[in-house]
Amino acid sequence: MKKVYINGVGSISTQRTFDNKAFLEEVIVYEDNVITVVDPNYKDYIPPAAARRMAKGIKMGMVASKIALADSGLENVDAVITGTGLGCTIDSEKFLGKLIDNKEEYLTPTSFIQSTHNTVAGQIALGLGCKGYNFTYVHASISFESALLDALSQLQNDEENNILIGGIDESGEQTIKIHKLIHHVKKEAVKSTELLNSGTEGAIFSEGANFFVLSNKKQQNSYAEIIATETFNTLSKENLPLAITSFLKENKMDIADIDTLILGNNGDISYDPYYHILSEGSFKNTQQLYYKHLCGEFFTATSFGFWLASKLLKTQTVPEVVKLNDLNNNGIGTVLLYNQYRGENHSFTLFQKC
Amino acid sequence: MGNIKLELKEKIIEQLNLEDMTVDEIADKDPLFGEGLGLDSIDALELIVMLDKDYGIKLADPKEGKKIFESIETMAAYITEHGKK
């Protein structure tokens, strides 16, 4: 099996991450219960004629993918694989809104065409002229990991050499309203620096697009090697430590081999205990980081965690703002990323310095 | 008819998301498709629905559309003659 490397990254998030030269030197602190991305100047990347039908999520995905591709030094890829929890919700809402407002008459095609889940991957491929494998996974909060699993499998087996993968989710007004109604969004505004002390249910909802060029050829500017990823739809708190040790064992490692653990704590009092089991238990002597106070919660938020792991391993620096405990390493060799959302869709991803 | 032309320009900019364009930049005789505004077949469908919804005009023959949507001037003339709203 071939090794797989991260050769380019591109991130549009609630921080100014679209600038690849920076690494969280300046952090934006929010105090709200729904936050939106810091927009790059989309016109610098997408011609106005092409952009006029694109909702925010499509623009975010297009730009993040262009940044990742430029970062990798490649001009095209063999395949495009994306993950999205909810797809193009803004266009879906627009289409359904018109359906109701116009009493099922006078429906125009634009928002319907753009509302499909595969719109972002399709637009990227059209822009690149990439006629290869094009796929979008819509698997709730493991959508990004599903795209990653697919890419890993194809690259390890040498079916493709360079694959663009990404996680995208945009905030639609109605979608946020529904998530507020079912209390998945916190009722109150929370300062991002106080997220883990909020003591309330729900999360700070957000949006973002994080793209990566994965390759089975190492480059001088490679960020990291991806060792493995594994997902679980259901996993109890009691079985979580065992599942992690089994995952590590399958990859010929144990807990002591992990230099840095990145956790997906989102300040939800009901589900953060999953993370506490690890941070206070088997990983209590491991450096621990978190990131959802920076990027908020969305179905593909782990793609931001993936971005964080990539940057950590390449730069060998840990921004103060992501530290969950005070432990430090003499260099970072191995990183484990763990995430779950509302107690479901658990994922482990293992990275190594290259 | 002058009012209809201005109204049409505003509607086209808004409904077709021509964000960077103002009404002053669209001349009455500019071709809407091809070299002029550069509209395409999806825009044509948007315009057909707009005629129906806003002016009560149903285009039964698609070939008719080619002449009607030639420019703002031809659209305005057709609406003035056939509009029901």
Side-chain angles (χ1 to χ4, degrees), chain A residues 284-303:
Chain A
K284 66 179 179 213
N285 295 319
T286 308
Q287 180 183 52
Q288 299 161 13
L289 312 180
Y290 73 123
Y291 58 92
K292 286 186 185 164
H293 58 312
L294 301 177
C295 71
E297 182 66 272
F298 50 101
F299 283 97
T300 45
T302 36
S303 61

Side-chain angles (χ1 to χ4, degrees), chain A residues 53-55 57-59 62 82 84 87-88 91-92 110-126 134 136 168:
Chain A
R53 290 197 187 109
M54 294 179 185
I58 307 170
K59 285 184 194 167
M62 288 287 287
T82 61
T84 177
C88 298
D91 275 313
S92 301
T110 306
S111 51
F112 178 68
I113 294 167
Q114 300 289 76
S115 69
T116 64
H117 291 89
N118 197 45
T119 305
V120 178
Q123 290 283 355
I124 292 169
L126 278 171
N134 192 287
T136 297
I168 324 106

Side-chain angles (χ1 to χ4, degrees), chain A residues 43 48 52-53 106 108 110, chain B residues 16-17 20 40 43 46 53:
Chain A
K43 286 176 188 166
R52 72 186 169 99
R53 290 197 187 109
Y106 309 121
T108 55
T110 306
Chain B
L16 306 184
N17 296 318
D20 295 324
D40 58 25
D43 296 314
E46 296 275 354
K53 188 185 167 195

Side-chain angles (χ1 to χ4, degrees), chain A residues 91-249:
Chain A
D91 275 313
S92 301
E93 287 177 8
K94 207 169 162 183
F95 179 73
L96 292 172
K98 278 185 184 171
L99 197 73
I100 296 164
D101 294 343
N102 296 335
K103 299 188 171 67
E104 299 185 20
E105 284 187 288
Y106 309 121
L107 291 172
T108 55
T110 306
S111 51
F112 178 68
I113 294 167
Q114 300 289 76
S115 69
T116 64
H117 291 89
N118 197 45
T119 305
V120 178
Q123 290 283 355
I124 292 169
L126 278 171
L128 288 174
C130 173
K131 297 187 177 100
Y133 183 85
N134 192 287
F135 210 90
T136 297
Y137 287 88
V138 188
H139 290 183
S141 47
I142 49 161
S143 299
F144 172 71
E145 290 86 338
S146 304
L148 172 61
L149 268 171
D150 189 353
L152 275 180
S153 162
Q154 296 194 47
L155 292 166
Q156 285 168 341
N157 292 307
D158 210 14
E159 289 169 23
E160 309 284 9
N161 296 125
N162 301 295
I163 299 180
L164 188 61
I165 69 158
I168 324 106
D169 272 292
E170 64 183 2
S171 296
E173 202 184 324
Q174 296 299 325
T175 311
I176 293 289
K177 265 188 199 168
I178 292 165
H179 280 90
K180 280 181 177 172
L181 277 174
I182 56 175
H183 308 302
H184 288 185
V185 179
K186 282 188 186 296
K187 283 180 190 162
E188 72 287 358
V190 175
K191 196 170 181 180
S192 46
T193 48
E194 295 299 318
L195 181 67
L196 301 193
N197 303 320
S198 65
T200 55
E201 289 187 333
I204 302 302
F205 260 47
S206 180
E207 58 185 1
N210 297 284
F211 274 76
F212 308 90
V213 174
L214 306 188
S215 173
N216 52 19
K217 285 185 187 119
K218 189 180 166 184
Q219 293 181 176
Q220 207 172 6
N221 62 344
S222 292
Y223 282 76
E225 181 190 343
I226 307 165
I227 305 295
T229 190
E230 189 167 5
T231 61
F232 296 83
N233 176 252
T234 45
L235 195 56
S236 68
K237 284 198 272 289
E238 296 70 33
N239 288 332
L240 174 61
L242 182 64
I244 286 206
T245 46
S246 301
F247 170 71
L248 293 175
K249 201 175 167 186

Side-chain angles (χ1 to χ4, degrees), chain A residues 7-9 20 65-74 213 221:
Chain A
N7 285 350
V9 306
N20 260 341
S65 69
K66 279 174 186 269
I67 294 171
L69 198 64
D71 193 33
S72 73
L74 295 175
V213 174
N221 62 344

Side-chain angles (χ1 to χ4, degrees), chain A residues 21-81:
Chain A
K21 287 179 203 136
F23 183 31
L24 301 175
E25 282 88 5
E26 285 176 28
V27 167
I28 302 167
V29 174
Y30 293 91
E31 188 161 0
D32 212 329
N33 58 353
V34 177
I35 55 179
T36 53
V37 299
V38 179
D39 291 309
N41 188 4
Y42 293 112
K43 286 176 188 166
D44 290 346
Y45 301 89
I46 312 169
R52 72 186 169 99
R53 290 197 187 109
M54 294 179 185
K56 196 175 182 182
I58 307 170
K59 285 184 194 167
M60 291 193 302
M62 288 287 287
V63 173
S65 69
K66 279 174 186 269
I67 294 171
L69 198 64
D71 193 33
S72 73
L74 295 175
E75 285 184 2
N76 210 331
V77 287
D78 304 318
V80 179
I81 310 174

